[in-house]
């Protein structure tokens, strides 16, 4: 006789076959019974969820191309600001960790502290500066959960053995992300922090007033929590009170110079100094609660001193949507890392994590897929003040390097010496650097188990059919059934993606990228840049890599009667690789126009952002205020794929209050 399970499987099979014949979906319980998942205490299931092994294996590592370095006094470490998809960039950082190139100051490998604030998967509009919408997430449901989960898996691999991760999320998807983090960070200590940041919603059903920060900490990771209330007996003689009536004693400051470790007693708790001393004798210092106050008026109720509140100050505002205050990141970084530890933010945004890590003498890595974010962070890091809230003296920050990851400047690559070019070419196509010889012919590495040749076009010229035939006659079938040849696109004299000789297929891997579908598991997708402020923090995911193709730009600048000037965009044409093919787009592919009004000839220092959506509404024109027309300016025209055209405008001081004056002293474009 059949047992119960056999009978259940028989019934499920019958139902499944009926569904298949009817063209309907197979019952989900059928798959669970036939292919039982790995047994876990609990697990969040959803469509499209991949195994951790597949996530790590399928993520493409893309090399980091240094674009600019700021500061020269670094010896063991340069802080990193990376433009690119964070998943691919983190796979490359993971390779660096495995190679011993990602170490904390104490020598331990891996990232000590991670803080991420991924875009919330909600269709509700968040309002940023000037009451404009900060972003509107386009990725919802299972796609968003898997988007975050893939990054959490790579982050866990990147983290040091003793480390902590903070994930900032709101209540709409927080419960799903919590379940995912429980899976990914199984065995870690957990804490949930409620950040009370003020009323952010409306309606009769409990308006939103807080966001959640999930914290997972491995054993023995640094933990230096701030003190909430209480004063030690031996220092009560130094008791003081501030203008707001709080009693406090200064005590020792933290290693990063932050003073939130002062002990405080709220005026609502005690009224006199004697009361405060009596209170101190009764209560020993306690670490901070899991409720953090973001509004000064709420601090008293929680014995959380106003200097520890987390609303950002006007001095630190960079005008970036969803910017987080330095005081919030100050508490996180000081609590869960030490000086010299690596702090990573994979959704760097306005750069608050990088700025605070710099002030607290930590090493830092910031990654973002938005050019606006990158330019905002670059400007912020070059204009830091030493006090949290961005006040005080000018901070002489440690050196940092700006990298491209996934979108490369080919002209810069071509200028590399041969050995550097060879190494980068191997990295670009995910090849192992394994020099070997077949019948006296030197090969450079392996890709998917097959041999790779980085063709030395510096010495050997072009590659035609005869070149491939000569290589084949030398190495023959000993190379296997395929071989890869990497070279710049212009070096190949034929158009095919591969050439066959006697059962061996020789692939032409062209730089810039020649997309060969059979070599990849996913179609190439570009990093899309926003064309309005609503889309600044839109969830973006890219696969593969491409090369910078500067857009073609033509415009006029004429004096305006208001005393300023009007820039009229006459032509904008961009080129990009979409689904493996070159595409040409017009003005609809413009993302933003970024302007540095007093360009110093070396560093682009962002002053203002004009979104394409607003420029289009103005008939493809934008206004330039009169008080900005005094120095040399740089205009960066950015397309939606991350390519940019940089144009320096000189002689702008020749434009004054009338068109007549502008004709006498014309503006020249370079």
């Amino acid at each position: 006789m059949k047992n119960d399970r056999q009978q259940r499987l028989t019934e499920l099979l019958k139902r499944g076959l009926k569904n298949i014949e009817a063209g309907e979906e197979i019952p989900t319980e059928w798959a669970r019974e036939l292919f039982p998942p790995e047994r876990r205490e609990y697990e969040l299931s959803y469509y499209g969820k991949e195994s951790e092994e597949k996530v790590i294996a399928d993520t493409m590592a893309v090399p980091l191309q240094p674009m600019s370095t700021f500061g020269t006094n670094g010896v063991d470490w340069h802080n990193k600001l990376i433009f690119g998809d964070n998943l691919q960039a983190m796979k490359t950082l993971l390779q660096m960790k495995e190679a011993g190139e990602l170490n904390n100051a104490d020598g331990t490998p891996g990232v000590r502290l991670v803080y991420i604030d991924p875009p919330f998967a909600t269709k509700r509009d968040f309002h940023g500066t000037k009451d404009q919408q900060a972003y509107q997430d386009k990725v919802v449901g299972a796609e968003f959960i898997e988007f975050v989960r893939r990054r959490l898996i790579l982050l866990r691999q990147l983290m040091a053995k003793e480390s902590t991760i903070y994930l900032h999320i709101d209540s709409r998807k927080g419960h799903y992300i919590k379940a995912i983090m429980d899976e990914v960070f199984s065995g870690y200590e957990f804490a949930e922090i409620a950040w009370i940041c003020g009323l952010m919603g409306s309606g009769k059903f409990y308006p939103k007033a807080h966001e959640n920060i999930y914290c997972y900490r491995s054993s023995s990771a640094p933990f230096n929590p701030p003190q909430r209330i209480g004063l030690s007996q031996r220092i009560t003689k130094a008791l003081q009170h501030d203008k707001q009536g709080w009693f406090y004693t200064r005590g020792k400051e933290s290693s990063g110079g932050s003073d939130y470790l002062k002990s405080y007693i709220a005026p609502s708790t005690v009224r006199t100094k004697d009361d405060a001393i009596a209170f101190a004798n009764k209560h020993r210092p306690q670490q901070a609660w899991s409720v953090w106050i973001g509004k000064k008026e709420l601090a008293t109720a929680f014995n959380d001193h106003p200097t520890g509140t987390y609303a950002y100050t006007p001095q630190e505002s960079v005008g970036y949507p969803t910017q987080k205050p330095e005081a919030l990141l100050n508490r996180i970084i000081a609590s869960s890392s030490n000086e010299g530890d690596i702090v990573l933010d994979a959704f760097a945004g306005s750069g608050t994590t990088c700025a605070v890590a710099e002030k607290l003498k930590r090493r830092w890595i910031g990654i973002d897929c938005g050019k606006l974010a990158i330019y905002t962070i670059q400007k912020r890091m070059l204009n830091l003040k030493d006090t949290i809230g961005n006040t005080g003296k000018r901070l002489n920050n440690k050196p940092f390097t700006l990298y491209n990851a996934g979108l490369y400047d080919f002209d810069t690559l071509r200028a590399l010496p041969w050995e550097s070019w060879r190494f980068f070419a191997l990295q670009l196509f995910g090849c192992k650097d394994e020099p070997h010889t077949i019948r006296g012919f030197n090969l450079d590495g392996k890709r998917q188990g097959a041999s790779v040749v980085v063709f030395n076009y510096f010495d050997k010229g072009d590659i035609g059919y005869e070149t491939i035939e000569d290589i084949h006659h030398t190495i023959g079938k000993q190379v296997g059934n395929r071989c890869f040849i990497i070279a710049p696109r212009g070096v190949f004299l034929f158009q095919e993606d591969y050439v066959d000789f006697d059962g061996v297929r020789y692939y032409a891997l062209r730089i810039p990228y020649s997309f060969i579908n059979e070599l990849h598991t996913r179609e190439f997708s570009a990093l899309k840049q926003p064309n309005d402020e609503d889309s600044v923090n839109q969830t973006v995911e890219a696969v593969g890599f491409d090369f910078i193709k500067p857009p073609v730009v033509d415009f006029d600048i004429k004096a305006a009667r208001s005393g300023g000037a009007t820039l009229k965009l006459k032509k904008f044409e961009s080129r990009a690789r979409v689904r493996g093919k070159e595409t040409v787009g017009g003005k609809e592919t413009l993302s933003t126009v970024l302007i540095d009004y007093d360009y110093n000839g070396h560093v682009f220092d962002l002053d203002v952002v004009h979104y394409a959506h607003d420029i289009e509404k103005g008939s493809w024109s934008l206004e330039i205020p009169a008080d900005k027309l005094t120095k040399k300016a740089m205009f960066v025209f950015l397309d939606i794929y991350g390519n940019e055209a940089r144009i320096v405008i000189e002689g702008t001081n020749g434009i004054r209050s009338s068109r007549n004056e502008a004709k006498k002293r014309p503006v020249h474009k370079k």
Side-chain angles (χ1 to χ4, degrees), residues 6 42 51 90 145 181 215 314 363 373 445 512 559 610 621 640:
Q6 288 175 321
Y42 57 86
S51 69
M90 287 191 292
I145 296 168
M181 294 190 78
C215 177
R363 301 177 175 188
H610 293 278
S621 298
I640 60 174

Side-chain angles (χ1 to χ4, degrees), residues 638-658:
L638 183 69
D639 72 15
I640 60 174
Y641 306 110
N643 300 297
E644 58 184 51
R646 293 186 165 207
I647 300 175
V648 175
I649 309 297
E650 296 191 74
T652 50
N653 59 339
I655 299 179
R656 285 294 180 256
S657 59
S658 70

Side-chain angles (χ1 to χ4, degrees), residues 133-169:
Q133 297 169 332
Y135 59 77
Q136 187 179 34
D137 243 330
K138 306 297 183 184
V139 179
V140 295
E143 290 184 2
F144 173 76
I145 296 168
E146 184 66 2
F147 171 89
V148 175
R149 176 177 170 270
R150 285 198 296 269
R151 283 147 181 82
L152 290 173
I153 291 169
L154 265 295
L155 285 167
R156 184 196 61 202
Q157 299 299 109
L158 267 177
M159 290 165 62
K161 184 178 179 181
E162 298 174 344
S163 56
T164 308
I165 180 171
Y166 290 77
L167 184 143
H168 195 139
I169 197 76

